[in-house]
């Protein structure tokens, strides 16, 4: 298992692209925490901190697919590096003006959020050309999903260390400078400079004209909703069970489960069509969420959240394969960016809607929201099987055969560098 990942990372450019993308995404992973800490240090309340973080999140959700489309049209270096610099300047503006001029603080969040570069989608567009073989690309998608869990665990710790070493303002500046360096490392690499999207049909909907992609986005909206509700409910559960570090135990267990599941999933090649496998993985993910509503003692709850996380990274890795198969030609970065956006919006919605459930029924009711969201994701996939079929055989698409681009073992991977 470890040998397979080591072989993948020894492939020329692979380790650099993965590391650069993760470092480049640190500002996005840490923005909510960094902004809240900065606002509180400046004397602002949690309401203002939440509002600024929400503006960042909404603008990020809007900007990702639009910048992804720009990458497909103009290439990665011409879009990602300027976007990364502009996003960092937005955070620098917040650090400079503080809360003295609120409209400037909000404008800074608009700039920082909207211009966050679509590095995540860009990396997935590069993998086929770098790794060549379908089995390696599939493993890379799983490793990508696992690495995200590590990044979201390490990122907040790095912010805390920067605050301790300098200040909340210093943390904002340092994290975003690191992010620019990560993006720079990616876009000056040979694969990024040489990558070109395939020719695309002019259409205002872009990637969203694919019915299969729309189905996938609908399902992962609910997966994001489940995770957002779990994050909030974990705090409520901790309040019911003595507070302290209980919520961190649950969220850490969820992350460890995802890490373990992603590592095992990516270590082998799976037979059959990825669309069918995705339905099975989402079913297992939903089954993992349902027992959380039992809300047992801390030890039992930690074990349950660990199990609930096991199928998250495999589901994400399989979804990346399905996106690649169903994205209309010339829209692959945009399509991956839509998945990131939809997942993030679902998480934000979950964090907001679970509050009333917790207030009325406690933590058990909050975890029940996660279970219901998992079932909703499965229902979306089961009720739309005819739209999320083999992209080559699907009827009624504008370009039904454009997604099976190299006929590899895992259909949809490309032997060349084009998207």
């Amino acid at each position: 298992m470890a040998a397979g990942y080591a072989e993948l990372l020894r492939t020329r450019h692979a380790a650099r692209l993965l590391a650069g993308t993760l470092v480049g995404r640190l500002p996005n992973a840490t923005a909510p925490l960094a902004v809240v800490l900065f606002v509180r240090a400046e004397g602002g309340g949690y309401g203002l901190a939440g509002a600024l973080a929400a503006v960042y999140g909404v603008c990020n959700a809007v900007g990702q697919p639009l910048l992804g489309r720009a990458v497909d049209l103009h290439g990665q270096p011409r879009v990602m590096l300027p976007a990364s610099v502009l996003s960092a300047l937005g955070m620098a503006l917040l650090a400079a003006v503080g809360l003295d001029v609120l409209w400037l603080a909000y404008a800074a969040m608009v700039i920082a959020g909207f211009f966050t570069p679509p590095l995540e989608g860009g990396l997935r567009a590069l993998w086929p050309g770098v790794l060549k073989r379908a089995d390696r690309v599939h493993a890379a998608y799983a490793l990508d999903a696992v690495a995200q869990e590590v990044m979201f665990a390490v990122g907040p710790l790095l912010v805390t260390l920067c605050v301790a070493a300098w200040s909340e303002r210093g943390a904002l500046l340092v994290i975003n400078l690191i992010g620019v360096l990560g993006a720079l490392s990616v876009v000056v690499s040979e694969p990024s400079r040489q990558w070109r999207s395939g020719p695309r049909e002019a259409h205002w909907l872009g990637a969203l004209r694919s019915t299969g992609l729309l189905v996938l986005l609908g399902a992962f909206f609910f997966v994001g909703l489940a995770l957002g509700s779990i994050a909030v409910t974990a705090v409520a559960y901790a309040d019911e069970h003595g507070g302290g570090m209980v919520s961190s135990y649950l969220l850490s267990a969820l992350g460890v489960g995802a890490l373990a599941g992603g590592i095992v999933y990516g270590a082998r090649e799976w037979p059959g069509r990825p669309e069918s496998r995705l339905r099975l993985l989402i079913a297992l993910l939903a089954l993992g969420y349902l027992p959380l509503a039992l809300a047992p003692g801390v030890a039992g709850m930690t074990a349950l959240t660990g199990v609930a996380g096991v199928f998250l990274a495999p589901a994400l890795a399989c979804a990346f394969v399905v996106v690649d198969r169903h994205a209309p030609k010339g829209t692959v970065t945009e399509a991956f960016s839509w998945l990131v956006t939809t997942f993030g919006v679902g998480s934000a919605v979950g964090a907001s809607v679970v509050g009333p459930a917790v207030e009325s029924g406690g933590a058990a009711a909050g975890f029940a929201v996660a279970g219901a969201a998992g079932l909703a994701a499965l229902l979306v996939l089961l009720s739309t099987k005819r739209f999320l079929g083999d992209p080559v055989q699907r009827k009624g698409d504008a370009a039904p055969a454009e997604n099976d681009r190299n006929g590899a073992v895992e259909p949809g991977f490309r032997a060349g560098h084009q998207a």
Side-chain angles (χ1 to χ4, degrees), residues 343-388:
F343 194 81
V345 170
S347 180
V349 171
S352 62
V353 303
V354 77
V358 169
E359 289 175 356
S360 62
F367 286 123
V369 172
L375 290 176
L378 178 60
L379 181 61
V380 169
L381 293 180
L382 292 178
S383 63
T384 56
K385 289 177 67 174
R386 67 190 183 95
F387 296 114
L388 199 62

mmCIF file of all heavy atoms in Angstrom, residues 343-388:
data_model
loop_
_atom_site.group_PDB
_atom_site.id
_atom_site.type_symbol
_atom_site.label_atom_id
_atom_site.label_comp_id
_atom_site.label_asym_id
_atom_site.label_seq_id
_atom_site.Cartn_x
_atom_site.Cartn_y
_atom_site.Cartn_z
ATOM 1 N N PHE A 343 -19.954 21.535 -2.559
ATOM 2 C CA PHE A 343 -19.639 20.907 -1.287
ATOM 3 C C PHE A 343 -19.546 21.956 -0.184
ATOM 4 O O PHE A 343 -20.083 21.779 0.917
ATOM 5 C CB PHE A 343 -18.316 20.161 -1.439
ATOM 6 C CG PHE A 343 -18.031 19.189 -0.330
ATOM 7 C CD1 PHE A 343 -18.606 17.938 -0.315
ATOM 8 C CD2 PHE A 343 -17.164 19.533 0.696
ATOM 9 C CE1 PHE A 343 -18.334 17.030 0.706
ATOM 10 C CE2 PHE A 343 -16.879 18.643 1.716
ATOM 11 C CZ PHE A 343 -17.469 17.387 1.718
ATOM 12 N N GLY A 344 -18.879 23.080 -0.480
ATOM 13 C CA GLY A 344 -18.732 24.143 0.507
ATOM 14 C C GLY A 344 -20.051 24.808 0.860
ATOM 15 O O GLY A 344 -20.321 25.097 2.034
ATOM 16 N N VAL A 345 -20.890 25.043 -0.152
ATOM 17 C CA VAL A 345 -22.202 25.645 0.109
ATOM 18 C C VAL A 345 -23.051 24.705 0.955
ATOM 19 O O VAL A 345 -23.732 25.125 1.900
ATOM 20 C CB VAL A 345 -22.910 25.978 -1.221
ATOM 21 C CG1 VAL A 345 -24.372 26.366 -0.981
ATOM 22 C CG2 VAL A 345 -22.179 27.110 -1.934
ATOM 23 N N GLY A 346 -23.009 23.410 0.637
ATOM 24 C CA GLY A 346 -23.748 22.443 1.440
ATOM 25 C C GLY A 346 -23.301 22.441 2.884
ATOM 26 O O GLY A 346 -24.130 22.382 3.809
ATOM 27 N N SER A 347 -21.991 22.526 3.100
ATOM 28 C CA SER A 347 -21.466 22.563 4.463
ATOM 29 C C SER A 347 -21.958 23.795 5.209
ATOM 30 O O SER A 347 -22.331 23.715 6.390
ATOM 31 C CB SER A 347 -19.932 22.538 4.412
ATOM 32 O OG SER A 347 -19.388 22.578 5.707
ATOM 33 N N ALA A 348 -21.955 24.944 4.522
ATOM 34 C CA ALA A 348 -22.433 26.178 5.158
ATOM 35 C C ALA A 348 -23.922 26.083 5.496
ATOM 36 O O ALA A 348 -24.358 26.513 6.577
ATOM 37 C CB ALA A 348 -22.174 27.365 4.233
ATOM 38 N N VAL A 349 -24.703 25.519 4.594
ATOM 39 C CA VAL A 349 -26.137 25.348 4.849
ATOM 40 C C VAL A 349 -26.351 24.401 6.026
ATOM 41 O O VAL A 349 -27.187 24.648 6.905
ATOM 42 C CB VAL A 349 -26.853 24.820 3.586
ATOM 43 C CG1 VAL A 349 -28.299 24.424 3.907
ATOM 44 C CG2 VAL A 349 -26.828 25.867 2.490
ATOM 45 N N GLY A 350 -25.568 23.311 6.060
ATOM 46 C CA GLY A 350 -25.701 22.375 7.167
ATOM 47 C C GLY A 350 -25.402 23.017 8.504
ATOM 48 O O GLY A 350 -26.098 22.779 9.500
ATOM 49 N N ALA A 351 -24.360 23.860 8.546
ATOM 50 C CA ALA A 351 -24.003 24.540 9.789
ATOM 51 C C ALA A 351 -25.109 25.481 10.255
ATOM 52 O O ALA A 351 -25.287 25.695 11.459
ATOM 53 C CB ALA A 351 -22.699 25.309 9.595
ATOM 54 N N SER A 352 -25.855 26.031 9.290
ATOM 55 C CA SER A 352 -26.907 26.982 9.667
ATOM 56 C C SER A 352 -28.218 26.288 10.034
ATOM 57 O O SER A 352 -28.889 26.704 10.982
ATOM 58 C CB SER A 352 -27.148 27.972 8.526
ATOM 59 O OG SER A 352 -27.601 27.309 7.366
ATOM 60 N N VAL A 353 -28.596 25.224 9.321
ATOM 61 C CA VAL A 353 -29.898 24.606 9.570
ATOM 62 C C VAL A 353 -29.882 23.677 10.778
ATOM 63 O O VAL A 353 -30.942 23.381 11.346
ATOM 64 C CB VAL A 353 -30.396 23.823 8.337
ATOM 65 C CG1 VAL A 353 -30.483 24.719 7.122
ATOM 66 C CG2 VAL A 353 -29.519 22.612 8.040
ATOM 67 N N VAL A 354 -28.706 23.209 11.193
ATOM 68 C CA VAL A 354 -28.677 22.264 12.305
ATOM 69 C C VAL A 354 -28.918 22.957 13.634
ATOM 70 O O VAL A 354 -29.320 22.299 14.615
ATOM 71 C CB VAL A 354 -27.332 21.502 12.323
ATOM 72 C CG1 VAL A 354 -26.206 22.377 12.897
ATOM 73 C CG2 VAL A 354 -27.448 20.201 13.104
ATOM 74 N N GLY A 355 -28.718 24.274 13.693
ATOM 75 C CA GLY A 355 -28.915 24.994 14.944
ATOM 76 C C GLY A 355 -30.290 24.795 15.550
ATOM 77 O O GLY A 355 -30.406 24.397 16.727
ATOM 78 N N PRO A 356 -31.376 25.074 14.803
ATOM 79 C CA PRO A 356 -32.717 24.853 15.367
ATOM 80 C C PRO A 356 -32.948 23.416 15.809
ATOM 81 O O PRO A 356 -33.637 23.170 16.805
ATOM 82 C CB PRO A 356 -33.637 25.236 14.196
ATOM 83 C CG PRO A 356 -32.834 26.191 13.377
ATOM 84 C CD PRO A 356 -31.427 25.705 13.478
ATOM 85 N N ALA A 357 -32.395 22.445 15.074
ATOM 86 C CA ALA A 357 -32.569 21.042 15.458
ATOM 87 C C ALA A 357 -31.908 20.765 16.802
ATOM 88 O O ALA A 357 -32.472 20.082 17.664
ATOM 89 C CB ALA A 357 -31.975 20.129 14.374
ATOM 90 N N VAL A 358 -30.711 21.310 17.007
ATOM 91 C CA VAL A 358 -30.004 21.117 18.266
ATOM 92 C C VAL A 358 -30.747 21.788 19.405
ATOM 93 O O VAL A 358 -30.873 21.232 20.512
ATOM 94 C CB VAL A 358 -28.559 21.660 18.157
ATOM 95 C CG1 VAL A 358 -27.896 21.712 19.522
ATOM 96 C CG2 VAL A 358 -27.735 20.813 17.199
ATOM 97 N N GLU A 359 -31.263 22.993 19.150
ATOM 98 C CA GLU A 359 -31.979 23.722 20.196
ATOM 99 C C GLU A 359 -33.252 22.997 20.624
ATOM 100 O O GLU A 359 -33.654 23.053 21.785
ATOM 101 C CB GLU A 359 -32.315 25.123 19.704
ATOM 102 C CG GLU A 359 -31.080 26.020 19.586
ATOM 103 C CD GLU A 359 -31.414 27.373 18.983
ATOM 104 O OE1 GLU A 359 -32.587 27.567 18.589
ATOM 105 O OE2 GLU A 359 -30.503 28.219 18.895
ATOM 106 N N SER A 360 -33.901 22.294 19.692
ATOM 107 C CA SER A 360 -35.159 21.624 20.020
ATOM 108 C C SER A 360 -34.946 20.203 20.527
ATOM 109 O O SER A 360 -35.715 19.734 21.366
ATOM 110 C CB SER A 360 -36.076 21.585 18.793
ATOM 111 O OG SER A 360 -35.470 20.834 17.741
ATOM 112 N N GLY A 361 -33.932 19.510 20.021
ATOM 113 C CA GLY A 361 -33.779 18.103 20.383
ATOM 114 C C GLY A 361 -32.404 17.709 20.866
ATOM 115 O O GLY A 361 -32.130 16.512 21.023
ATOM 116 N N GLY A 362 -31.504 18.666 21.082
ATOM 117 C CA GLY A 362 -30.175 18.344 21.567
ATOM 118 C C GLY A 362 -29.269 17.785 20.481
ATOM 119 O O GLY A 362 -29.606 17.800 19.292
ATOM 120 N N ALA A 363 -28.138 17.265 20.916
ATOM 121 C CA ALA A 363 -27.132 16.777 19.967
ATOM 122 C C ALA A 363 -27.657 15.615 19.135
ATOM 123 O O ALA A 363 -27.308 15.488 17.949
ATOM 124 C CB ALA A 363 -25.865 16.366 20.718
ATOM 125 N N ALA A 364 -28.479 14.759 19.727
ATOM 126 C CA ALA A 364 -29.010 13.621 18.971
ATOM 127 C C ALA A 364 -29.786 14.099 17.752
ATOM 128 O O ALA A 364 -29.668 13.523 16.653
ATOM 129 C CB ALA A 364 -29.908 12.772 19.869
ATOM 130 N N ALA A 365 -30.590 15.162 17.921
ATOM 131 C CA ALA A 365 -31.339 15.704 16.786
ATOM 132 C C ALA A 365 -30.400 16.303 15.749
ATOM 133 O O ALA A 365 -30.641 16.197 14.537
ATOM 134 C CB ALA A 365 -32.341 16.760 17.271
ATOM 135 N N GLY A 366 -29.328 16.944 16.205
ATOM 136 C CA GLY A 366 -28.364 17.502 15.269
ATOM 137 C C GLY A 366 -27.694 16.431 14.433
ATOM 138 O O GLY A 366 -27.537 16.569 13.217
ATOM 139 N N PHE A 367 -27.302 15.325 15.088
ATOM 140 C CA PHE A 367 -26.687 14.231 14.331
ATOM 141 C C PHE A 367 -27.698 13.554 13.404
ATOM 142 O O PHE A 367 -27.323 13.011 12.362
ATOM 143 C CB PHE A 367 -26.078 13.213 15.280
ATOM 144 C CG PHE A 367 -24.797 13.674 15.922
ATOM 145 C CD1 PHE A 367 -24.664 13.718 17.304
ATOM 146 C CD2 PHE A 367 -23.723 14.082 15.142
ATOM 147 C CE1 PHE A 367 -23.484 14.140 17.899
ATOM 148 C CE2 PHE A 367 -22.539 14.516 15.724
ATOM 149 C CZ PHE A 367 -22.420 14.549 17.101
ATOM 150 N N ALA A 368 -28.981 13.596 13.783
ATOM 151 C CA ALA A 368 -30.012 13.042 12.898
ATOM 152 C C ALA A 368 -30.082 13.830 11.589
ATOM 153 O O ALA A 368 -30.398 13.270 10.537
ATOM 154 C CB ALA A 368 -31.365 13.050 13.597
ATOM 155 N N VAL A 369 -29.798 15.130 11.641
ATOM 156 C CA VAL A 369 -29.757 15.940 10.425
ATOM 157 C C VAL A 369 -28.684 15.405 9.480
ATOM 158 O O VAL A 369 -28.887 15.304 8.264
ATOM 159 C CB VAL A 369 -29.492 17.428 10.764
ATOM 160 C CG1 VAL A 369 -29.240 18.243 9.495
ATOM 161 C CG2 VAL A 369 -30.666 18.008 11.535
ATOM 162 N N ALA A 370 -27.525 15.039 10.043
ATOM 163 C CA ALA A 370 -26.446 14.485 9.219
ATOM 164 C C ALA A 370 -26.888 13.183 8.561
ATOM 165 O O ALA A 370 -26.627 12.935 7.379
ATOM 166 C CB ALA A 370 -25.196 14.264 10.062
ATOM 167 N N GLY A 371 -27.555 12.324 9.323
ATOM 168 C CA GLY A 371 -28.051 11.075 8.756
ATOM 169 C C GLY A 371 -29.054 11.303 7.648
ATOM 170 O O GLY A 371 -29.010 10.640 6.603
ATOM 171 N N ALA A 372 -29.981 12.249 7.872
ATOM 172 C CA ALA A 372 -30.976 12.560 6.850
ATOM 173 C C ALA A 372 -30.312 13.113 5.594
ATOM 174 O O ALA A 372 -30.719 12.788 4.468
ATOM 175 C CB ALA A 372 -31.990 13.564 7.404
ATOM 176 N N ALA A 373 -29.280 13.940 5.765
ATOM 177 C CA ALA A 373 -28.569 14.496 4.611
ATOM 178 C C ALA A 373 -27.853 13.396 3.831
ATOM 179 O O ALA A 373 -27.829 13.400 2.590
ATOM 180 C CB ALA A 373 -27.575 15.559 5.070
ATOM 181 N N GLY A 374 -27.253 12.435 4.539
ATOM 182 C CA GLY A 374 -26.622 11.318 3.855
ATOM 183 C C GLY A 374 -27.614 10.519 3.036
ATOM 184 O O GLY A 374 -27.335 10.129 1.886
ATOM 185 N N LEU A 375 -28.793 10.271 3.592
ATOM 186 C CA LEU A 375 -29.832 9.551 2.854
ATOM 187 C C LEU A 375 -30.308 10.367 1.650
ATOM 188 O O LEU A 375 -30.609 9.809 0.588
ATOM 189 C CB LEU A 375 -31.009 9.239 3.777
ATOM 190 C CG LEU A 375 -30.747 8.187 4.859
ATOM 191 C CD1 LEU A 375 -31.973 8.043 5.762
ATOM 192 C CD2 LEU A 375 -30.402 6.842 4.224
ATOM 193 N N ALA A 376 -30.383 11.685 1.810
ATOM 194 C CA ALA A 376 -30.796 12.542 0.691
ATOM 195 C C ALA A 376 -29.783 12.460 -0.447
ATOM 196 O O ALA A 376 -30.159 12.415 -1.629
ATOM 197 C CB ALA A 376 -30.949 13.989 1.171
ATOM 198 N N ALA A 377 -28.494 12.429 -0.109
ATOM 199 C CA ALA A 377 -27.460 12.296 -1.142
ATOM 200 C C ALA A 377 -27.627 10.986 -1.898
ATOM 201 O O ALA A 377 -27.531 10.935 -3.139
ATOM 202 C CB ALA A 377 -26.072 12.370 -0.511
ATOM 203 N N LEU A 378 -27.881 9.913 -1.160
ATOM 204 C CA LEU A 378 -28.092 8.605 -1.801
ATOM 205 C C LEU A 378 -29.342 8.624 -2.665
ATOM 206 O O LEU A 378 -29.347 8.090 -3.786
ATOM 207 C CB LEU A 378 -28.203 7.527 -0.723
ATOM 208 C CG LEU A 378 -28.480 6.107 -1.220
ATOM 209 C CD1 LEU A 378 -27.368 5.630 -2.139
ATOM 210 C CD2 LEU A 378 -28.657 5.155 -0.034
ATOM 211 N N LEU A 379 -30.403 9.244 -2.178
ATOM 212 C CA LEU A 379 -31.649 9.312 -2.940
ATOM 213 C C LEU A 379 -31.451 10.051 -4.260
ATOM 214 O O LEU A 379 -32.001 9.656 -5.299
ATOM 215 C CB LEU A 379 -32.728 10.007 -2.099
ATOM 216 C CG LEU A 379 -34.107 10.133 -2.754
ATOM 217 C CD1 LEU A 379 -34.681 8.759 -3.051
ATOM 218 C CD2 LEU A 379 -35.054 10.927 -1.847
ATOM 219 N N VAL A 380 -30.663 11.118 -4.239
ATOM 220 C CA VAL A 380 -30.378 11.857 -5.472
ATOM 221 C C VAL A 380 -29.719 10.934 -6.499
ATOM 222 O O VAL A 380 -30.110 10.894 -7.666
ATOM 223 C CB VAL A 380 -29.474 13.073 -5.188
ATOM 224 C CG1 VAL A 380 -28.951 13.680 -6.487
ATOM 225 C CG2 VAL A 380 -30.231 14.131 -4.390
ATOM 226 N N LEU A 381 -28.733 10.166 -6.067
ATOM 227 C CA LEU A 381 -28.022 9.290 -6.993
ATOM 228 C C LEU A 381 -28.903 8.145 -7.486
ATOM 229 O O LEU A 381 -28.846 7.766 -8.660
ATOM 230 C CB LEU A 381 -26.765 8.725 -6.328
ATOM 231 C CG LEU A 381 -25.656 9.724 -6.010
ATOM 232 C CD1 LEU A 381 -24.480 9.019 -5.354
ATOM 233 C CD2 LEU A 381 -25.188 10.438 -7.269
ATOM 234 N N LEU A 382 -29.727 7.587 -6.602
ATOM 235 C CA LEU A 382 -30.576 6.456 -6.999
ATOM 236 C C LEU A 382 -31.711 6.885 -7.913
ATOM 237 O O LEU A 382 -32.103 6.149 -8.826
ATOM 238 C CB LEU A 382 -31.143 5.771 -5.748
ATOM 239 C CG LEU A 382 -30.137 5.041 -4.859
ATOM 240 C CD1 LEU A 382 -30.837 4.457 -3.635
ATOM 241 C CD2 LEU A 382 -29.432 3.942 -5.640
ATOM 242 N N SER A 383 -32.242 8.073 -7.688
ATOM 243 C CA SER A 383 -33.395 8.528 -8.482
ATOM 244 C C SER A 383 -32.994 9.096 -9.831
ATOM 245 O O SER A 383 -33.854 9.387 -10.666
ATOM 246 C CB SER A 383 -34.186 9.573 -7.690
ATOM 247 O OG SER A 383 -33.389 10.725 -7.443
ATOM 248 N N THR A 384 -31.705 9.261 -10.052
ATOM 249 C CA THR A 384 -31.243 9.866 -11.317
ATOM 250 C C THR A 384 -30.228 8.968 -12.021
ATOM 251 O O THR A 384 -29.352 9.452 -12.729
ATOM 252 C CB THR A 384 -30.610 11.245 -11.046
ATOM 253 O OG1 THR A 384 -29.556 11.104 -10.078
ATOM 254 C CG2 THR A 384 -31.638 12.229 -10.513
ATOM 255 N N LYS A 385 -30.357 7.651 -11.838
ATOM 256 C CA LYS A 385 -29.385 6.714 -12.408
ATOM 257 C C LYS A 385 -29.262 6.868 -13.922
ATOM 258 O O LYS A 385 -28.188 6.733 -14.486
ATOM 259 C CB LYS A 385 -29.771 5.277 -12.063
ATOM 260 C CG LYS A 385 -29.566 4.920 -10.605
ATOM 261 C CD LYS A 385 -30.028 3.506 -10.306
ATOM 262 C CE LYS A 385 -29.174 2.470 -10.998
ATOM 263 N NZ LYS A 385 -29.536 1.093 -10.590
ATOM 264 N N ARG A 386 -30.365 7.173 -14.579
ATOM 265 C CA ARG A 386 -30.317 7.261 -16.039
ATOM 266 C C ARG A 386 -29.506 8.465 -16.514
ATOM 267 O O ARG A 386 -29.021 8.481 -17.641
ATOM 268 C CB ARG A 386 -31.730 7.312 -16.622
ATOM 269 C CG ARG A 386 -32.507 8.571 -16.300
ATOM 270 C CD ARG A 386 -33.965 8.414 -16.713
ATOM 271 N NE ARG A 386 -34.730 9.628 -16.490
ATOM 272 C CZ ARG A 386 -34.959 10.551 -17.399
ATOM 273 N NH1 ARG A 386 -34.464 10.394 -18.629
ATOM 274 N NH2 ARG A 386 -35.673 11.611 -17.130
ATOM 275 N N PHE A 387 -29.359 9.482 -15.669
ATOM 276 C CA PHE A 387 -28.559 10.649 -16.052
ATOM 277 C C PHE A 387 -27.083 10.472 -15.711
ATOM 278 O O PHE A 387 -26.226 11.079 -16.340
ATOM 279 C CB PHE A 387 -29.082 11.906 -15.345
ATOM 280 C CG PHE A 387 -30.474 12.270 -15.741
ATOM 281 C CD1 PHE A 387 -31.513 12.200 -14.824
ATOM 282 C CD2 PHE A 387 -30.760 12.673 -17.034
ATOM 283 C CE1 PHE A 387 -32.803 12.527 -15.181
ATOM 284 C CE2 PHE A 387 -32.051 13.012 -17.404
ATOM 285 C CZ PHE A 387 -33.075 12.938 -16.475
ATOM 286 N N LEU A 388 -26.805 9.656 -14.690
ATOM 287 C CA LEU A 388 -25.419 9.438 -14.286
ATOM 288 C C LEU A 388 -24.984 8.055 -14.742
ATOM 289 O O LEU A 388 -24.473 7.250 -13.977
ATOM 290 C CB LEU A 388 -25.265 9.575 -12.765
ATOM 291 C CG LEU A 388 -23.833 9.829 -12.264
ATOM 292 C CD1 LEU A 388 -23.302 11.133 -12.814
ATOM 293 C CD2 LEU A 388 -23.793 9.852 -10.745
#
